[in-house]
Amino acid sequence: MKKIQMVDLKGQYEKIKEEVDRGIHQVIDSTQFVNGQAVKDFQSDLEKYLGAKHVIPCANGTDALQVAMMSLGLKPGDEVITSDFTFVATVEVIALLGLTPVLVDVDPDTFNIDPVAIERALTPKTKAIVPVHLFGQSADMDAIMKIAKRHNLFVIEDNCQAIGSDYTSEEGWTRKTGTIGHLGCTSFFPSKNLGCYGDGGAIFTNDDELAHQLRGVVNHGMFVRYYHDYVGVNSRLDSIQAAVLNAKLPHLDDYCAARRNAADFYDKAFANHPNLIIPKRAEKSTHVFHQYTLRCKGIDRTALIDFLGKHDIPAMIYYPVPLHMQKAYIDPRYKEGDFPVTEALSLTVFSLPMHTELDEQQLLHITSKVLEFLG
Ligand SMILES: *Cc1c(COP(=O)(O)O)cnc(C)c1O
């Protein structure tokens, strides 16, 4: 059996080696290392894939979030609502920009931001909501866009874990996640569902004016060379990374399907087990399984992960500490117990290997060892 990894980038590369290598060599031959043709091709192909009017490539997913917030003209002290149960990047950029992060709890079944909790957290200073489409499926965008509309707020979707996912609204339309709010952000970190071989990211929008602002922000606030209209940053996707993404984008739907197949296998093995809760699939969103995350009940999670490790099966905890309990984000507004769902999830979730290359033998080994531990 092939060694089981959380993510198998080598196995995936071997299947598309020719396309990737050719693209990288073309960039080197052209010496257009920055803003080369590969970046332009990727930008327009991703716009087509997503059905988004504008894609603005940038250096990584964290920058995408930062640049998105910078483009909105928010002022220090403005409040931005986001999820307490997620990767730190979202709250980090809010804090870095001098904005005030307002954390809210999540839905216990989908792990996504709870619209009722958003409503409760609104104040006259609220300016934006950043839903994170966690683990590969969309937050409840119908409810979130309604709140935003009613209170005149911006919505920035953190789509770093859900690229390729489709959201079907109560109104009947279906759109790619990341293209529903005013802005969407993604990361091309290697282990993401659409990953390059280094760092990369992008912002999406259907708004011409915001797209114009974003193109300025990522380029030193500059539209005419050496004339700077506002304080920006330098955040670029380099051409070699774009070449890798050009080779991988045509496979993204197949990659999502492979992840979903692995998730189906896990679901079948673990459904109705008294000690496990399989991840619930949201009604309005397809799931692209960036992570396959279970909750455990009445068992010692650490002992299970140790047992799996002894059988060469990696397992991870995303995320072990809620943001309001992270040392960097301790805040007198929040205390332990304020976000009961997030706190319970952080103590009970664990994620099994999830990638495009898992085969049946590996999946059988993983599921049988989990079940063996549970007895
Ligand atoms: C990966 C990730 C980011 C940050 O992306 P980088 O490219 O690593 O900066 C932000 N938000 C979420 C939810 C992520 O998963």
Side-chain angles (χ1 to χ4, degrees):
M1 187 174 52
K2 251 173 72 185
K3 182 173 152 40
I4 298 174
Q5 304 172 73
M6 279 308 281
V7 180
D8 180 3
L9 294 174
K10 188 69 194 290
Q12 192 188 58
Y13 167 63
E14 276 159 6
K15 292 182 182 161
I16 53 166
K17 183 173 168 17
E18 257 179 61
E19 297 140 80
V20 171
D21 291 4
R22 196 186 327 119
I24 290 176
H25 282 288
Q26 274 171 3
V27 172
I28 298 171
D29 277 338
S30 75
T31 71
Q32 291 181 1
F33 297 113
V34 170
N35 289 336
Q37 191 58 41
V39 176
K40 296 189 179 94
D41 291 345
F42 176 63
Q43 180 185 322
S44 70
D45 287 351
L46 188 59
E47 283 165 358
K48 276 187 217 112
Y49 175 84
L50 294 169
K53 201 161 173 200
H54 306 279
V55 164
I56 293 92
C58 67
N60 57 66
T62 309
D63 269 13
L65 288 160
Q66 177 176 333
V67 163
M69 285 181 217
M70 288 174 75
S71 76
L72 297 175
L74 305 181
K75 305 214 167 36
D78 285 350
E79 292 178 0
V80 180
I81 295 177
T82 194
S83 167
D84 189 40
F85 185 62
T86 184
F87 181 60
V88 72
T90 326
V91 72
E92 182 176 58
V93 302
I94 297 170
L96 269 176
L97 293 174
L99 307 170
T100 303
V102 174
L103 299 170
V104 301
D105 215 347
V106 297
D107 177 273
D109 293 322
T110 63
F111 312 130
N112 274 323
I113 195 163
D114 177 358
V116 176
I118 294 178
E119 199 106 47
R120 256 189 263 123
L122 294 169
T123 77
K125 288 189 186 161
T126 309
K127 289 288 151 50
I129 307 169
V130 187
V132 181
H133 302 316
L134 202 70
F135 301 150
Q137 65 183 349
S138 183
D140 185 348
M141 291 304 291
D142 284 295
I144 292 167
M145 294 311 290
K146 266 184 217 150
I147 295 169
K149 201 163 179 194
R150 213 177 310 124
H151 299 275
N152 201 19
L153 310 174
F154 290 110
V155 175
I156 304 169
E157 299 174 69
D158 182 340
N159 199 40
C160 292
Q161 299 190 1
I163 195 161
S165 170
D166 289 306
Y167 181 82
T168 302
S169 159
E170 287 155 7
E171 292 167 15
W173 49 258
T174 297
R175 275 189 228 153
K176 291 283 178 203
T177 53
T179 68
I180 302 160
H182 302 88
L183 296 164
C185 296
T186 205
S187 163
F188 305 121
F189 185 77
S191 64
K192 300 283 155 107
N193 289 28
L194 178 62
C196 58
Y197 293 169
D199 277 307
I203 310 110
F204 331 133
T205 186
N206 291 317
D207 183 312
D208 297 337
E209 179 56 30
L210 283 177
H212 178 74
Q213 291 294 328
L214 288 164
R215 291 198 181 96
V217 174
V218 296
N219 191 29
H220 303 287
M222 173 170 84
F223 295 100
V224 178
R225 188 169 286 193
Y226 306 129
Y227 290 80
H228 304 275
D229 296 356
Y230 43 81
V231 179
V233 295
N234 169 25
S235 188
R236 298 186 281 241
L237 177 69
D238 81 65
S239 304
I240 287 181
Q241 298 309 333
V244 174
L245 293 165
N246 283 330
K248 287 177 77 169
L249 180 58
H251 302 282
L252 178 56
D253 286 339
D254 289 339
Y255 291 161
C256 293
R259 287 171 177 274
R260 222 172 275 130
N261 281 340
D264 289 344
F265 194 102
Y266 285 141
D267 274 1
K268 276 203 198 92
F270 302 138
N272 307 318
H273 193 285
N275 299 117
L276 297 173
I277 304 174
I278 60 173
K280 183 168 173 194
R281 306 192 188 195
E283 278 161 36
K284 293 186 269 187
S285 168
T286 59
H287 204 320
V288 295
F289 287 99
H290 177 59
Q291 300 297 345
Y292 185 86
T293 302
L294 294 137
R295 281 177 286 166
C296 55
K297 283 190 293 189
I299 58 161
D300 180 345
R301 179 176 66 172
T302 309
L304 168 61
I305 291 174
D306 288 349
F307 176 85
L308 293 176
K310 287 200 188 84
H311 292 91
D312 297 318
I313 300 166
M316 297 288 285
I317 297 171
Y318 306 113
Y319 294 91
V321 182
L323 291 179
H324 75 283
M325 289 162 69
Q326 294 282 359
K327 201 167 152 191
Y329 297 97
I330 295 279
D331 187 306
R333 290 174 299 159
Y334 304 124
K335 58 183 188 313
E336 203 174 329
D338 281 352
F339 303 96
V341 178
T342 297
E343 289 173 30
L345 290 175
S346 68
L347 296 172
T348 52
V349 291
F350 68 102
S351 301
L352 290 174
M354 176 49 77
H355 55 76
T356 58
E357 309 304 311
L358 283 165
D359 62 36
E360 196 141 322
Q361 196 187 10
Q362 292 174 313
L363 287 164
L364 200 56
H365 179 67
I366 298 165
T367 51
S368 59
K369 286 297 164 194
V370 171
L371 295 172
E372 184 184 317
F373 174 84
L374 299 174

